[in-house]
């Protein structure tokens, strides 16, 4: 089955600086890559996603890039703010036109924004 | 934060007992999922259901069982066969296939078995 590796496990950056979290996946058939943010004690929430027919996607301060050849994708957060402090999870899944399937998640990155 | 609910928030059980975790959604979503979250392990898929009366095993289904008798409900039973049941359990739902639609998560149930 699919395996998703995520690095680093902890990332500390100064407020205002950029943060980058990287993930690799093993199954070349994977074609959907969401990123979830989980604040302490709360449920994970989708912040951005990308499909395999796109190389990059942006939403204000957040961007995701995908390299299908190398089977890796990254989350970029610019101008970090205190409210960006959370655990971020990458995930991968395969959509083939059939029914629902679950997501395979990375182990998470604890992002700490230093004031 | 309505839409998908889980109860209770905290659950305590003695070893050897089966326990059922509730998951309800009023989003009219066809697909529902159960994940387990352990510290430093991310989320791991236990079971998922595409439609009423149908469900499939995920990556770590051993020791768990589910049912999907109603569209809005997807309860998870943690049986005594599960070796390490203490964990944070998250239920999720989506309109359809996860590769096309966002998964919405419930608030989770923290299960402690002693």
């Amino acid at each position: 089955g699919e395996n998703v590796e995520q690095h680093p496990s902890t990332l500390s950056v100064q407020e205002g600086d950029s943060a980058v979290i990287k993930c690799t996946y093993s199954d070349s058939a994977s074609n959907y890559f969401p990123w979830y943010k989980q604040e302490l004690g709360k449920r994970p929430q989708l912040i951005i996603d990308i499909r395999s027919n796109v190389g990059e996607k942006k939403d204000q301060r957040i961007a995701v890039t995908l390299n299908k050849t190398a089977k890796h994708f990254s989350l970029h957060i610019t101008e970090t703010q205190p409210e960006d402090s959370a655990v971020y999870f990458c995930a991968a899944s395969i959509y083939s036109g059939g029914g629902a399937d679950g997501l395979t998640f990375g182990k998470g990155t604890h992002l700490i924004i230093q004031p | 934060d309505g839409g998908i609910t889980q109860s209770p928030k905290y659950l305590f059980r003695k070893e050897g007992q089966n326990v059922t975790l509730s998951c309800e959604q009023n989003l009219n979503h066809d697909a529902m999922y159960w994940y387990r979250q352990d510290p430093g392990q991310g989320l791991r898929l236990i079971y998922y259901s595409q439609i009423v009366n149908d469900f499939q095993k995920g990556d770590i289904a051993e020791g768990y069982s589910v049912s999907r008798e109603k569209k809005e409900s997807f309860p998870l039973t943690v049986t005594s066969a599960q070796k390490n049941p203490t964990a944070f359990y998250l239920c999720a739902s989506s309109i359809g296939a996860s590769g096309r639609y966002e998964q919405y998560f419930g608030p989770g149930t923290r299960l402690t078995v002693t």
Side-chain angles (χ1 to χ4, degrees), chain A residues 32 51 93-103, chain B residues 30-31 33 50 94-103:
Chain A
Y32 175 63
R51 304 184 193 283
S93 77
I94 301 168
Y95 174 68
S96 58
D101 196 356
L103 294 167
Chain B
D30 283 323
Y33 314 82
Q50 301 178 22
S94 62
I95 296 173
S98 62
R100 295 188 68 184
Y101 304 105
E102 176 181 354
Q103 286 191 22

Side-chain angles (χ1 to χ4, degrees), chain A residues 6-66:
Chain A
Q6 183 172 348
H7 299 280
S9 57
T10 303
L11 178 60
S12 182
V13 301
Q14 289 294 125
E15 183 178 347
D17 287 351
S18 295
V20 181
I21 302 170
K22 300 181 179 181
C23 289
T24 60
Y25 59 98
S26 61
D27 192 336
S28 57
S30 288
N31 54 13
Y32 175 63
F33 307 94
W35 286 88
Y36 282 82
K37 175 183 180 183
Q38 187 177 29
E39 297 177 11
L40 188 63
K42 296 192 175 181
R43 70 190 79 188
Q45 291 192 303
L46 180 73
I47 55 171
I48 195 167
D49 57 13
I50 191 167
R51 304 184 193 283
S52 59
N53 59 346
V54 176
E56 183 176 4
K57 184 176 179 180
K58 287 184 179 180
D59 183 3
Q60 299 183 342
R61 297 186 297 109
I62 294 173
V64 57
T65 58
L66 172 65

